[in-house]
Amino acid sequence: MTDKVVILGGGPGGYEAALVAAQLGADVTVVDSDGLGGSAVVTDCVPSKTLIATSELMSEMDGAAELGVNFHDHEGDAATGISVDLARVNARVKRLAADQSADIAHRLDKEGVRVVTGRGHLDGPSRVVVGDDTLEADAILVATGAAPRTLSSAEPDGERILTWEQVYDLTELPTELVVVGSGVTGAEFASAYLALGVPVTLVSSRDRVLPGEDADAAEVLEEVLTRRGMTVLSKSRMESVTRDGDVVTVRLTDGRSVQASHCILALGSVPKTGGIGLEESGVELGDGGFVTVDRVSRTTARGVYAAGDCTGVLMLASVAAMQGRIAMWHFLGDAVQPLDLKQVSSNVFTAPEIATVGCSQQAVDAGDIVADVVMLPLDGNARAKMQNVQDGFVKLMCRPGTGIVVGGVVVGPRASELIHPVSIAVSQRLTADQLAHAFTVYPSMSGSIAEAARRLHRV
């Protein structure tokens, strides 16, 4: 008898789980209301990184003169600046997001996965209701995602007070921008719009940008952003955001206020778990309404699994996808390894990028793990000099005695790509010597990873 799997949500946690379940012979139905790909594809990761791709090009062009490249207008005079057509940028953003969503739909159809458009809710742990339809299930995967957190004192209007999902409707660059929130999302948008030529003020309730990231990396980023003209208001908490015509006012709890043409709210996320019958079906919700799961994605209701942002485990598309795959491997009896967050690599797409994997410097400093640490600035790397890269570093951590690599940080251009060899080392328990002995291209940024590993060698 074929197992029936019903998945609520078509984001990475949902569609990747569907592909695994179909591969293993299950009868799979995905119930989706937000567009296949979820927020990762439709409103978050793909759109934001497409916007950031344009901002990266702007940053590179800004430093072109240092590399001997000059621009001239049609009459031969020196060009004094470059500009961005935001309407064209955002049109491209939406087109790429739609194309990616369509690709996912095609793949699911090819693999025999049924897609039902609508909002589903649980009627017990083995039944999902979508409108007038009732879907019986041997297993249910909840992958409903999360939405931007808003406050009554700072209600977005979709025009000048915006969540990160609403910025792609802009057709003209803001004349001035305030970003409230200095976590990953806030830092990425602040960095991107700064590179696009917009004066940016970043409001941070903490003492530094990216309080949850490596402190050395955050220090480099904040120094670069302020050097490029950003105003960072640290230890400043937002009280309210209001709009009067074309002027947005952000009031702070200390009495100060900041005015701009636009404001982006990056206040975190809330799970989409309300009103879909979870608790009534025996699914426990934890703090903030996130679904409680174990390391193989099981909830407290037998046969009900959960994956992705609705679990609050680690809000990354890669983690959502792995949670979804693990859920199906577990339910359908395939080989499975529990989720190990110590092996997750992540990236902050600022300029410079910040990539991390494994244990953190904070854990080492707190004595939670004993590790030797080497930090190697990129400004000594030959390729970095050629490309005029002046900021960034490679940091590696390994266990004393065994030399096993347990963590790493890369700050620099394309850090999201450079972290991969470190991620492999962490997941495969390679030693610093093994990492150092692998050939790298000369000259290359990755050469700094091998050099850092060599410096961890102990006789």
Side-chain angles (χ1 to χ4, degrees), residues 91-102:
R92 179 173 182 265
V93 165
K94 293 178 180 180
R95 184 175 68 253
L96 289 179
D99 288 348
Q100 184 69 14
S101 181

Side-chain angles (χ1 to χ4, degrees), residues 289-301:
F290 291 99
V291 180
T292 301
V293 292
D294 64 13
R295 290 176 60 204
V296 291
S297 305
R298 290 179 296 191
T299 72
T300 52

Side-chain angles (χ1 to χ4, degrees), residues 126-332:
S126 59
R127 187 177 294 113
V128 172
V129 177
V130 189
D132 296 330
D133 294 335
T134 299
L135 306 173
E136 301 293 338
D138 298 301
I140 296 171
L141 175 69
V142 180
T144 48
R149 177 172 171 258
T150 60
L151 301 173
S152 59
S153 60
E155 289 283 358
D157 62 10
E159 294 179 351
R160 290 183 178 271
I161 304 175
L162 309 160
T163 69
W164 66 78
E165 293 183 340
Q166 297 172 328
V167 298
Y168 309 108
D169 290 327
L170 293 177
T171 57
E172 295 182 354
L173 283 174
T175 56
E176 290 182 297
L177 175 67
V178 177
V179 178
V180 180
S182 62
V184 172
T185 300
E188 286 184 346
F189 277 107
S191 175
Y193 277 96
L194 182 71
L196 295 178
V198 178
V200 176
T201 298
L202 180 62
V203 177
S204 172
S205 62
R206 307 289 285 274
D207 58 354
R208 63 177 171 86
V209 174
L210 295 175
E213 299 295 321
D214 181 89
D216 294 319
E219 182 180 352
V220 169
L221 177 63
E222 187 163 344
E223 192 278 326
V224 171
L225 294 179
T226 53
R227 188 175 73 219
R228 292 174 178 169
M230 184 181 296
T231 300
V232 178
L233 302 180
S234 58
K235 298 182 180 178
S236 301
R237 189 172 294 275
M238 181 270 292
E239 182 177 87
S240 66
V241 181
T242 56
R243 174 185 174 185
D244 183 10
D246 294 342
V247 178
V248 173
T249 301
V250 179
R251 290 183 173 82
L252 307 178
T253 55
D254 61 7
R256 291 178 296 163
S257 63
V258 184
Q259 292 187 326
S261 64
H262 294 76
C263 174
I264 296 177
L265 302 171
L267 306 173
S269 302
V270 292
K272 297 179 181 178
T273 55
I276 58 173
L278 293 178
E279 290 180 296
E280 296 84 349
S281 302
V283 176
E284 178 184 306
L285 301 182
D287 293 342
F290 291 99
V291 180
T292 301
V293 292
D294 64 13
R295 290 176 60 204
V296 291
S297 305
R298 290 179 296 191
T299 72
T300 52
R302 184 175 178 84
V304 180
Y305 294 78
D309 289 357
C310 68
T311 69
V313 170
L314 191 57
M315 290 190 174
L316 296 171
S318 58
V319 173
M322 187 59 74
Q323 284 180 297
R325 296 186 199 106
I326 286 172
M328 293 301 98
W329 288 328
H330 182 270
F331 170 68
L332 294 168

Side-chain angles (χ1 to χ4, degrees), residues 436-450:
H437 290 161
F439 276 90
T440 58
V441 172
Y442 182 85
S444 69
M445 296 285 198
S446 59
S448 288
I449 295 173

Side-chain angles (χ1 to χ4, degrees), residues 52 55-56 59-60 184 187-188 190-192 194-195 209-210 213 216-228 230 346-355 378 388-394 409-416 418 445:
I52 288 168
S55 73
E56 287 175 344
S59 296
E60 291 171 2
V184 172
E188 286 184 346
S191 175
L194 182 71
V209 174
L210 295 175
E213 299 295 321
D216 294 319
E219 182 180 352
V220 169
L221 177 63
E222 187 163 344
E223 192 278 326
V224 171
L225 294 179
T226 53
R227 188 175 73 219
R228 292 174 178 169
M230 184 181 296
S346 62
N347 194 72
V348 185
F349 287 86
T350 47
E353 291 184 8
I354 298 172
L378 282 180
N388 195 33
V389 174
Q390 302 172 3
D391 306 291
F393 61 80
V394 169
V409 181
V410 179
V411 180
R414 306 293 189 273
S416 50
L418 288 171
M445 296 285 198

Side-chain angles (χ1 to χ4, degrees), residues 9-11 15 30-38 41-42 97-98 100-102 104-106 108 115:
Y15 75 76
V30 173
V31 180
D32 180 70
S33 60
D34 299 327
L36 291 174
V41 169
V42 180
Q100 184 69 14
S101 181
I104 293 167
H106 176 73
L108 292 177
V115 177

